Amino acid sequence: MHVLAIGGAGVMGRAALYAVRDFPEVDQITIADINLSAANSAAKDIGTKAVPMKLDIMDEEALARAIGTADVVLNTSGPFFRFGLQVLKAAIAASCPYFDICDDAEPTLDMLKLDHQARESGTIAVVGIGASPGVTNLLAVKAYRELDSVDRLITVWNVDGKIAEEEFKQKKEKTPAAFVHWLEQLTGSIPVFSHGKRQNRKPLEPVIVNYPGLGKRKLYRVGHPEAITLGYNFTELTEAPNLMVLGTDVRIFLESLANKVDKGELTVDEAADCLAQQRVSGIISLGGFLRILLGKLQRHIVLPEAFALAEGHKNGKPSTVACAVMSLPTYDLGACTGIPMAVALRLYLDGKIKQPGVHAPETIIDPDDFFKAYLPYCRVPFIPTSIEELLEVRRS
């Protein structure tokens, strides 16, 4: 099997390929990147199966030629609101199986609209199979299945935990695409689905959640595919918000950056660069710094790195179920995002993903199959030996 890894020289693509190179069915991995030097470096890291390729995905003919030689496409080239749709279209045109880590809401909507074309061409496409979206969607399905009826299905990623701590420690020589994505999804308005119909909400709007056994905490909205796909696929839901756990300092920094973008004082790219370099001068007002100091005096419950909450009814009584992943591959964002895509490819090779069409994770991947295959990659803060150790389910 020949795997075309578009954007495979980046940290998320490279993390996926460290797993994919060990699949016996895979005999060649072409690492395609606009930066040939980066592709060469990644190919050396991945080993003998890897071949570098210079590829500009905005060149439609070159993209089509590259996909035409492949048996499957893994796309980690972000930000997806700029580059995602054209790669999926090219894969469908070539009837080539496709997996990505798309984490932007708007292109996800456009990608789902290609479902009919994918079915007609016999193409299997799974979009958003990273950490969030991806792992969070499948946690949501497990929580959803616990109740007789569900009103609200919440997915959460923790920006006040170990992954975020490690990410902000790292010196950024250039602004990561993930940061550009983040600022894009914190500005303007964000799409959500309520009873199967699209609505728009304000990013960073506070939402109070009650985590069974732990208590209440105020979380914050962000534009993300989970709010689209879960609300779209489970039409009975009042809402399926995607939320962030934020410490006061990060929240105020993000609010200040988003406000400057909305006012036209910064572009999304400039704001993302300020975030990457942690330049707060001229961004956070004196009042903002005072709010940070006051916020540090408040105590908050500690929440898992990634989890889902289903709120509804069980046996006629109001009930909430939380499902959280308790062990991760590392505290590195790249590995936590890239490895789930590699696991999805493993399930495809095992014949467990076989329905043509454009799919969000929850419509084509069985959560039990996924977490069983994901288990061997999880190592921190402990090495789980069973699904029961990997996943924690709490009920109230």
Side-chain angles (χ1 to χ4, degrees), residues 55-71:
L55 177 65
D56 180 356
I57 58 176
M58 301 306 290
D59 182 336
E60 293 184 6
E61 291 184 2
L63 179 61
R65 285 196 301 271
I67 292 177
T69 68
D71 297 306

PDB file of all heavy atoms in Angstrom, residues 55-71:
ATOM      1  N   LEU A  55       5.261  19.389  -2.918  1.00  0.00           N
ATOM      2  CA  LEU A  55       3.902  19.498  -3.451  1.00  0.00           C
ATOM      3  C   LEU A  55       3.254  20.782  -2.958  1.00  0.00           C
ATOM      4  O   LEU A  55       3.202  21.039  -1.755  1.00  0.00           O
ATOM      5  CB  LEU A  55       3.051  18.300  -3.007  1.00  0.00           C
ATOM      6  CG  LEU A  55       1.578  18.327  -3.442  1.00  0.00           C
ATOM      7  CD1 LEU A  55       1.459  18.245  -4.968  1.00  0.00           C
ATOM      8  CD2 LEU A  55       0.801  17.195  -2.775  1.00  0.00           C
ATOM      9  N   ASP A  56       2.759  21.561  -3.915  1.00  0.00           N
ATOM     10  CA  ASP A  56       1.932  22.725  -3.619  1.00  0.00           C
ATOM     11  C   ASP A  56       0.483  22.308  -3.831  1.00  0.00           C
ATOM     12  O   ASP A  56       0.062  22.094  -4.973  1.00  0.00           O
ATOM     13  CB  ASP A  56       2.306  23.885  -4.538  1.00  0.00           C
ATOM     14  CG  ASP A  56       1.480  25.143  -4.279  1.00  0.00           C
ATOM     15  OD1 ASP A  56       0.562  25.088  -3.430  1.00  0.00           O
ATOM     16  OD2 ASP A  56       1.745  26.167  -4.939  1.00  0.00           O
ATOM     17  N   ILE A  57      -0.282  22.169  -2.745  1.00  0.00           N
ATOM     18  CA  ILE A  57      -1.648  21.664  -2.886  1.00  0.00           C
ATOM     19  C   ILE A  57      -2.578  22.667  -3.543  1.00  0.00           C
ATOM     20  O   ILE A  57      -3.709  22.312  -3.909  1.00  0.00           O
ATOM     21  CB  ILE A  57      -2.231  21.209  -1.525  1.00  0.00           C
ATOM     22  CG1 ILE A  57      -2.224  22.347  -0.503  1.00  0.00           C
ATOM     23  CG2 ILE A  57      -1.500  19.992  -1.015  1.00  0.00           C
ATOM     24  CD1 ILE A  57      -2.879  21.967   0.814  1.00  0.00           C
ATOM     25  N   MET A  58      -2.112  23.912  -3.735  1.00  0.00           N
ATOM     26  CA  MET A  58      -2.912  24.869  -4.483  1.00  0.00           C
ATOM     27  C   MET A  58      -2.759  24.675  -5.992  1.00  0.00           C
ATOM     28  O   MET A  58      -3.512  25.254  -6.781  1.00  0.00           O
ATOM     29  CB  MET A  58      -2.513  26.299  -4.105  1.00  0.00           C
ATOM     30  CG  MET A  58      -2.677  26.614  -2.616  1.00  0.00           C
ATOM     31  SD  MET A  58      -4.350  26.272  -2.001  1.00  0.00           S
ATOM     32  CE  MET A  58      -5.262  27.570  -2.821  1.00  0.00           C
ATOM     33  N   ASP A  59      -1.798  23.851  -6.409  1.00  0.00           N
ATOM     34  CA  ASP A  59      -1.613  23.482  -7.811  1.00  0.00           C
ATOM     35  C   ASP A  59      -2.474  22.251  -8.074  1.00  0.00           C
ATOM     36  O   ASP A  59      -2.104  21.120  -7.734  1.00  0.00           O
ATOM     37  CB  ASP A  59      -0.133  23.188  -8.072  1.00  0.00           C
ATOM     38  CG  ASP A  59       0.166  22.841  -9.532  1.00  0.00           C
ATOM     39  OD1 ASP A  59      -0.755  22.385 -10.242  1.00  0.00           O
ATOM     40  OD2 ASP A  59       1.331  23.016  -9.943  1.00  0.00           O
ATOM     41  N   GLU A  60      -3.645  22.454  -8.672  1.00  0.00           N
ATOM     42  CA  GLU A  60      -4.620  21.368  -8.823  1.00  0.00           C
ATOM     43  C   GLU A  60      -4.076  20.201  -9.634  1.00  0.00           C
ATOM     44  O   GLU A  60      -4.351  19.034  -9.318  1.00  0.00           O
ATOM     45  CB  GLU A  60      -5.903  21.906  -9.466  1.00  0.00           C
ATOM     46  CG  GLU A  60      -6.672  22.880  -8.576  1.00  0.00           C
ATOM     47  CD  GLU A  60      -7.981  23.326  -9.197  1.00  0.00           C
ATOM     48  OE1 GLU A  60      -8.357  22.786 -10.278  1.00  0.00           O
ATOM     49  OE2 GLU A  60      -8.638  24.205  -8.631  1.00  0.00           O
ATOM     50  N   GLU A  61      -3.330  20.489 -10.676  1.00  0.00           N
ATOM     51  CA  GLU A  61      -2.802  19.405 -11.520  1.00  0.00           C
ATOM     52  C   GLU A  61      -1.767  18.582 -10.755  1.00  0.00           C
ATOM     53  O   GLU A  61      -1.776  17.348 -10.824  1.00  0.00           O
ATOM     54  CB  GLU A  61      -2.207  19.977 -12.805  1.00  0.00           C
ATOM     55  CG  GLU A  61      -3.255  20.564 -13.762  1.00  0.00           C
ATOM     56  CD  GLU A  61      -2.640  21.023 -15.067  1.00  0.00           C
ATOM     57  OE1 GLU A  61      -1.407  20.859 -15.253  1.00  0.00           O
ATOM     58  OE2 GLU A  61      -3.389  21.539 -15.915  1.00  0.00           O
ATOM     59  N   ALA A  62      -0.880  19.260 -10.049  1.00  0.00           N
ATOM     60  CA  ALA A  62       0.137  18.541  -9.275  1.00  0.00           C
ATOM     61  C   ALA A  62      -0.518  17.715  -8.166  1.00  0.00           C
ATOM     62  O   ALA A  62      -0.105  16.575  -7.898  1.00  0.00           O
ATOM     63  CB  ALA A  62       1.135  19.532  -8.684  1.00  0.00           C
ATOM     64  N   LEU A  63      -1.536  18.280  -7.525  1.00  0.00           N
ATOM     65  CA  LEU A  63      -2.251  17.558  -6.472  1.00  0.00           C
ATOM     66  C   LEU A  63      -2.914  16.312  -7.034  1.00  0.00           C
ATOM     67  O   LEU A  63      -2.837  15.221  -6.438  1.00  0.00           O
ATOM     68  CB  LEU A  63      -3.286  18.482  -5.828  1.00  0.00           C
ATOM     69  CG  LEU A  63      -4.151  17.886  -4.717  1.00  0.00           C
ATOM     70  CD1 LEU A  63      -3.289  17.428  -3.543  1.00  0.00           C
ATOM     71  CD2 LEU A  63      -5.194  18.907  -4.257  1.00  0.00           C
ATOM     72  N   ALA A  64      -3.561  16.441  -8.187  1.00  0.00           N
ATOM     73  CA  ALA A  64      -4.228  15.293  -8.813  1.00  0.00           C
ATOM     74  C   ALA A  64      -3.222  14.211  -9.190  1.00  0.00           C
ATOM     75  O   ALA A  64      -3.490  13.013  -9.002  1.00  0.00           O
ATOM     76  CB  ALA A  64      -5.007  15.757 -10.050  1.00  0.00           C
ATOM     77  N   ARG A  65      -2.061  14.611  -9.709  1.00  0.00           N
ATOM     78  CA  ARG A  65      -1.038  13.623 -10.070  1.00  0.00           C
ATOM     79  C   ARG A  65      -0.553  12.878  -8.834  1.00  0.00           C
ATOM     80  O   ARG A  65      -0.374  11.648  -8.864  1.00  0.00           O
ATOM     81  CB  ARG A  65       0.139  14.311 -10.773  1.00  0.00           C
ATOM     82  CG  ARG A  65      -0.117  14.721 -12.196  1.00  0.00           C
ATOM     83  CD  ARG A  65       1.192  15.019 -12.925  1.00  0.00           C
ATOM     84  NE  ARG A  65       1.948  16.094 -12.268  1.00  0.00           N
ATOM     85  CZ  ARG A  65       1.796  17.396 -12.538  1.00  0.00           C
ATOM     86  NH1 ARG A  65       0.905  17.777 -13.440  1.00  0.00           N
ATOM     87  NH2 ARG A  65       2.533  18.300 -11.918  1.00  0.00           N
ATOM     88  N   ALA A  66      -0.329  13.607  -7.755  1.00  0.00           N
ATOM     89  CA  ALA A  66       0.171  12.972  -6.536  1.00  0.00           C
ATOM     90  C   ALA A  66      -0.846  11.980  -5.984  1.00  0.00           C
ATOM     91  O   ALA A  66      -0.496  10.847  -5.620  1.00  0.00           O
ATOM     92  CB  ALA A  66       0.504  14.041  -5.496  1.00  0.00           C
ATOM     93  N   ILE A  67      -2.098  12.381  -5.917  1.00  0.00           N
ATOM     94  CA  ILE A  67      -3.136  11.494  -5.388  1.00  0.00           C
ATOM     95  C   ILE A  67      -3.358  10.303  -6.311  1.00  0.00           C
ATOM     96  O   ILE A  67      -3.652   9.190  -5.847  1.00  0.00           O
ATOM     97  CB  ILE A  67      -4.441  12.286  -5.151  1.00  0.00           C
ATOM     98  CG1 ILE A  67      -4.238  13.270  -4.001  1.00  0.00           C
ATOM     99  CG2 ILE A  67      -5.610  11.349  -4.852  1.00  0.00           C
ATOM    100  CD1 ILE A  67      -5.416  14.169  -3.718  1.00  0.00           C
ATOM    101  N   GLY A  68      -3.170  10.514  -7.591  1.00  0.00           N
ATOM    102  CA  GLY A  68      -3.369   9.436  -8.562  1.00  0.00           C
ATOM    103  C   GLY A  68      -2.432   8.263  -8.383  1.00  0.00           C
ATOM    104  O   GLY A  68      -2.724   7.150  -8.848  1.00  0.00           O
ATOM    105  N   THR A  69      -1.313   8.465  -7.706  1.00  0.00           N
ATOM    106  CA  THR A  69      -0.354   7.371  -7.487  1.00  0.00           C
ATOM    107  C   THR A  69      -0.585   6.655  -6.161  1.00  0.00           C
ATOM    108  O   THR A  69       0.079   5.665  -5.886  1.00  0.00           O
ATOM    109  CB  THR A  69       1.084   7.917  -7.490  1.00  0.00           C
ATOM    110  OG1 THR A  69       1.292   8.746  -6.329  1.00  0.00           O
ATOM    111  CG2 THR A  69       1.362   8.732  -8.746  1.00  0.00           C
ATOM    112  N   ALA A  70      -1.502   7.175  -5.337  1.00  0.00           N
ATOM    113  CA  ALA A  70      -1.629   6.692  -3.956  1.00  0.00           C
ATOM    114  C   ALA A  70      -2.793   5.727  -3.784  1.00  0.00           C
ATOM    115  O   ALA A  70      -3.766   5.738  -4.542  1.00  0.00           O
ATOM    116  CB  ALA A  70      -1.799   7.880  -3.013  1.00  0.00           C
ATOM    117  N   ASP A  71      -2.702   4.905  -2.740  1.00  0.00           N
ATOM    118  CA  ASP A  71      -3.804   4.023  -2.345  1.00  0.00           C
ATOM    119  C   ASP A  71      -4.657   4.637  -1.249  1.00  0.00           C
ATOM    120  O   ASP A  71      -5.799   4.232  -1.042  1.00  0.00           O
ATOM    121  CB  ASP A  71      -3.245   2.681  -1.857  1.00  0.00           C
ATOM    122  CG  ASP A  71      -2.502   1.941  -2.939  1.00  0.00           C
ATOM    123  OD1 ASP A  71      -3.080   1.720  -4.017  1.00  0.00           O
ATOM    124  OD2 ASP A  71      -1.325   1.585  -2.706  1.00  0.00           O
TER     125      ASP A  71
END
